[in-house]
Amino acid sequence: MHYLKAPIYELKQTTREFRWSDAFVLLTITALLYLGVHFGFHAPEAVRGPNIVLEPSALPYYAFRSVLRMGAAYLLSLMFTLVYGYAAARSRRAEQILLPTLDVLQSVPILSFLPVVLLGLSAVMPERFAAELASVVLIFTSQVWNMTFSWYQSLTTLPKELREAAEIFRMNWWLKIRKLELPFGAIGLIWNSMMSWAGGWFFLMAAEIFTVGERDYRLPGLGAYLREASHQGNIPAILWGLGTLVLVIVLLDQLVWRPLVAWSEKFKLEMVEQETHASSWFYDVLRSSKLSERVSVFWERISERIDAWTLRVWPFQPERISERPQRGDTAWKLFMLVALILIAYSVLRSLHLLAQVEIGQWFAILQGVVTTALRVFTSLAIALCWTVPLGVYIGMNTRLASRLQPLVQIAASIPATALFPVFVLMLAQLPGGLNVAAIMLMLTGTQWYLLFNVIAGTMSIPQELRFTVTLLGLNRWQKWRVLILPALFPYLITGAITASGGAWNASIVAEYVEFGGRTLRVTGLGDLIAYSTAQGNFPLLLASTLTMITTVVLVNRLLWRRLYRIAASRYRME
Amino acid sequence: MTNGKTLVELEHVSQVYATGRKRFYAVQDINLTISEGEFVCLLGPSGCGKSTLLRLITGLQRPTEGRIRYRGEELRGVNPHASIVFQTFALFPWLSVQENVEVALKARGVPPKIRTACALDLLDRVGLDGFENAYPRELSGGMRQKVGFARAMAVEPELLCLDEPFSALDVLSSEALRGELMELWLDGKIPTKAILMVTHNIEEAAEMADRLIIMGTSPGRVIAEVNVDMPQPRHRKSPQFLKLIDQIYAILAGQTQPEPVEIGTAPGKPGITRWLPQIQISDLVGLLEHLAESSQPTYDIYQLTEDFGADSDLVLRLIDTAELLGFVRVGQGDVMLTPLGETFSEASILTRKEIFSTRIRRLPIFQWLINMLHLAENQSLKRDVVRAAIELELPPADAEKQLNTIIEWGRYGEVIAYDDETETIMLEPLVGQSVPGH
């Protein structure tokens, strides 16, 4: 159950109270949103997307385009991660921006940016290109932060003696990155890349097609294919599309991520031999092939040259390990000043824009907050109801766990946004159908996190405690109350935090749907965002987007963080 | 062995680190020289700044005050003629044994062929041939440290620095490795001009070094220098060696002073604050019982470390504690149980607690804390408040440890109570009364 690792360890870092820096980040987001909306005024009135063909033979091409988009966003994220994480570890200033940004963006429903980003971009560039870029930007925003944080964290937690060894043996910066920092950060980076990639599918599926009113943004890809298929009620096409998506995800997992994980085992810092190893058949095949031998010999020769060259160009520069250089004071202050003025201006303008929102509309927004929140918590409650008993059952039976693991992982890997068109197709005709569909979408996004966490929590209960409970002759209810629930609590909270974040995100695509020439709506904040985009009501769009961000951040800080702190201090199994 | 040429010179070197507005000395006003041909040992309890001093000498850190010269020239940046063998080995786990050694040469621009030959030769010399392609995690601790030595020697340093190189190893492998190092050094098989070793292990220092620089804590400073004029190899059982060990223990354990000097003053008051040593109370009880069981009036401290098979550092801290509480008297490397100590060791669990309680109430640091609690609302204080008060005098990490010790002692003596959940320190309701048991 490797998938759990990332969220748990991320959260440990971010259990802080609200700070001024959070407010700063929120204001910056406001400013950026305002800029998007500002450009959005000039967005073309009507946009025609390309036709999506439902022939199964078109699927490889669509899958290829989707993967390409993901790849582009991921590459961008990786580059940003390496550069920015490095900067953050070296300079206090970059660090001061990174941590709160990460903190807020982790909880902000990133999907709520989509309309603003799309409209803003399509005002300044051709629609097709704008849609491509918007999807890449969105995926980038969703996946970059935890990667950057992981890289930053490994850079700052590098054992001091290893750093000193690199110093005393006079490695230049290049050798330090190659022999020390990258190997040390590799495991975290690869795990977080996997998490980011999985999260990226969710956004890609939603970002490939966004139809509001006369504006029809669509990109050739799997997400658009699925939506079009359900739009036309073409069940075989839906199945073909879902099958292709699962196939692509599984292939990527088997051919890229598993081998990477197996390979990265050698970068473990622990000095004890592990009993279990991550295994990958593909990695074993690669490693034993003649080709890989040649490649590695070739690589050795190249890297030797590069190393020698860097040593000539950048000879060893002693670095004071205990001190961090602080340079460019004036330049930094100037930069901050300009940034602050820009932000302040944009925030003022956005306030001006917000002033145009009528009282009645604010009331609608408030109503939207409540109803969407109700939907989010309902989906969470439903998810808890079935994941806790099942998760505990699986966790107690290790055999079952290992047999179910691949199945659950495949099921969990299907992004909820890809299933949504199917739900709508099934439920649209029923009264209150969209309501049910919306909750189901949230549920698909949330339940897996919870299930994984429950299983991990159960497996973390020490065998001795289980024996003790049996020896004491506690009945089933007492057993749950004394042992299982307290042990699960931290895991449930961790799962619930991630899950509720996903659910808020989902509301944006779930509450307002154009389907079969009709527009289906249910009251909610997500509906308001989509509706105001369709109407070109930019003040309302800005107001509802900002409200959603603020609500989610507040709920996170005031509810989840507190629960998490209690969980971490009182119910930890250590 | 010394031919007199000075290699390293330290003049009034201090290292200060600041947290907030407070400044603390890690080491203060150090003067020392290391000459060619010398094996010098920095010896002292944990926290005396000996590792900091090693990092200053190698140039990994820059001193806040004073000068460090290498061969007469002021040291700028990392000393290219020095290398370090680390306590935790500091090997790159993702590189093979051979690559670990080679990478040190690669960084100096040595071409691949020469590099490989040199690495293989060194691994051969430390007895690791056959393990070139192994990864560090496949090796035992002793073998890992051999890689550490091979890597440090690969760059042919003039000054070889050893930072507690044997303390992470088991007894047998550290013994073997010490012997092998001494052989390489004494036979001149390595181009090293001088060795500087940091250790808290007294026997190890006495066995290997030509000169011991003994350091004390708060602030870290040199308290004595001892020249060892014994030929190698030295035998641990020889009377001469035992005398030397005794002498070192006498320096490190000091002499019991009159009580006001011994217990010091409260934090914030003029005079030296006597912080509590970091020990487990059960260990203290064990020590006192052991002393009481022996029929001798005085006990050799060195003998105690032998009896317990314990670290000299721990034994010294325990004796320090017993001395502070008035349970023992210390002088000339010997320790003697006081009548109070005798009573304590023979008492029941509850009486022990009571004696402990009355003793710690005499310590200025507890009086200071009790006084603060009396003045506080509800006679209770948040943990953070007390820690902040201690941080006025101690660096944060030390303050945290000190507070933990205070709480542990206070809880044992039932002088204060502590609530883990709310992180509050409270006065025990029975304060001031002497109630036998409950």
Side-chain angles (χ1 to χ4, degrees), chain A residues 5 26 58 80 134 145 166 183 199 238 276 284 295 315 419 439 452 454 488 547 558:
Chain A
K5 276 190 182 159
L26 280 177
F80 181 89
W145 301 105
I238 290 177
T276 51
D284 295 339
V295 169
L419 288 176
I439 290 178
F452 284 139
V454 172
L488 284 187
T547 309
L558 300 179

Side-chain angles (χ1 to χ4, degrees), chain A residues 2-47:
Chain A
H2 313 286
Y3 281 110
L4 299 170
K5 276 190 182 159
I8 289 173
Y9 110 103
E10 268 168 33
L11 266 163
K12 274 189 187 155
Q13 303 305 318
T14 51
T15 46
R16 293 181 291 122
E17 288 290 336
F18 206 82
R19 288 194 191 171
W20 68 266
S21 47
D22 297 325
F24 178 76
V25 173
L26 280 177
L27 286 181
T28 311
I29 292 177
T30 310
L32 288 175
L33 283 178
Y34 166 76
L35 287 178
V37 168
H38 176 76
F39 286 121
F41 277 120
H42 309 290
E45 290 289 317
V47 176

Side-chain angles (χ1 to χ4, degrees), chain B residues 312-429:
Chain B
S312 52
D313 213 27
L314 171 67
V315 173
L316 282 171
R317 277 205 306 276
L318 286 172
I319 289 174
D320 198 25
T321 311
E323 190 186 19
L324 183 67
L325 296 171
F327 295 153
V328 298
R329 294 185 61 80
V330 179
Q332 272 123 37
D334 290 335
V335 55
M336 188 178 75
L337 217 51
T338 60
L340 184 71
E342 221 160 300
T343 319
F344 181 87
S345 64
E346 283 160 8
S348 70
I349 293 177
L350 288 178
T351 326
R352 270 184 191 163
K353 278 196 171 216
E354 228 178 286
I355 298 175
F356 191 80
S357 164
T358 39
R359 292 315 292 180
I360 62 173
R361 278 174 201 282
R362 301 169 68 89
L363 300 179
I365 185 132
F366 271 98
Q367 288 172 354
W368 167 80
L369 180 62
I370 291 168
N371 198 18
M372 277 208 303
L373 286 167
H374 267 304
L375 297 173
E377 216 176 317
N378 301 329
Q379 310 212 317
S380 69
L381 285 169
K382 282 278 179 199
R383 179 197 175 88
D384 291 348
V385 176
V386 182
R387 199 185 51 204
I390 299 175
E391 270 177 22
L392 292 176
E393 309 218 358
L394 282 184
D398 293 355
E400 176 69 24
K401 278 191 209 150
Q402 186 59 222
L403 182 58
N404 286 336
T405 313
I406 293 174
I407 291 173
E408 201 200 318
W409 290 26
R411 273 173 147 180
Y412 177 77
E414 295 179 27
V415 172
I416 55 165
Y418 179 67
D419 185 348
D420 224 14
E421 204 133 291
T422 57
E423 305 210 315
T424 339
I425 301 169
M426 288 154 289
L427 223 42
E428 272 283 319

Side-chain angles (χ1 to χ4, degrees), chain A residues 161-162 164-165 167-171 179-180 183 266-271 273 304 307 311 320 323, chain B residues 55 59-62 77-78 80 86 88 90-94 104 106-108 115 137-138 144 151:
Chain A
E161 292 208 326
L162 281 182
E164 287 177 339
E167 252 341 86
I168 202 90
F169 295 113
R170 309 181 86 73
M171 293 189 178
K179 300 286 183 189
L180 180 63
K266 69 173 189 174
F267 299 121
K268 277 197 175 132
L269 198 63
E270 289 110 62
M271 278 295 188
E273 280 283 6
E304 186 61 48
D307 292 347
L311 280 162
R320 299 282 170 179
E323 304 153 30
Chain B
R55 277 156 182 76
L60 282 174
Q61 284 177 24
R62 193 186 354 219
V78 180
F86 293 89
T88 55
L91 302 176
F92 301 115
W94 36 84
K106 184 180 203 170
R108 299 197 182 216
R115 202 160 78 200
R137 67 171 66 91
E138 301 167 40
R144 282 180 208 163
R151 181 177 64 174

Side-chain angles (χ1 to χ4, degrees), chain A residues 211-255:
Chain A
T211 331
V212 269
E214 292 298 303
R215 299 191 181 91
D216 181 4
Y217 298 95
R218 56 174 74 186
L219 294 165
L222 280 177
Y225 179 92
L226 278 170
R227 187 76 67 93
E228 185 60 31
S230 68
H231 202 73
Q232 298 185 11
N234 188 338
I235 309 254
I238 290 177
L239 292 178
W240 275 107
L242 279 180
T244 312
L245 180 62
V246 171
L247 185 72
V248 169
I249 291 175
V250 170
L251 277 180
L252 281 172
D253 184 62
Q254 291 295 315
L255 302 184

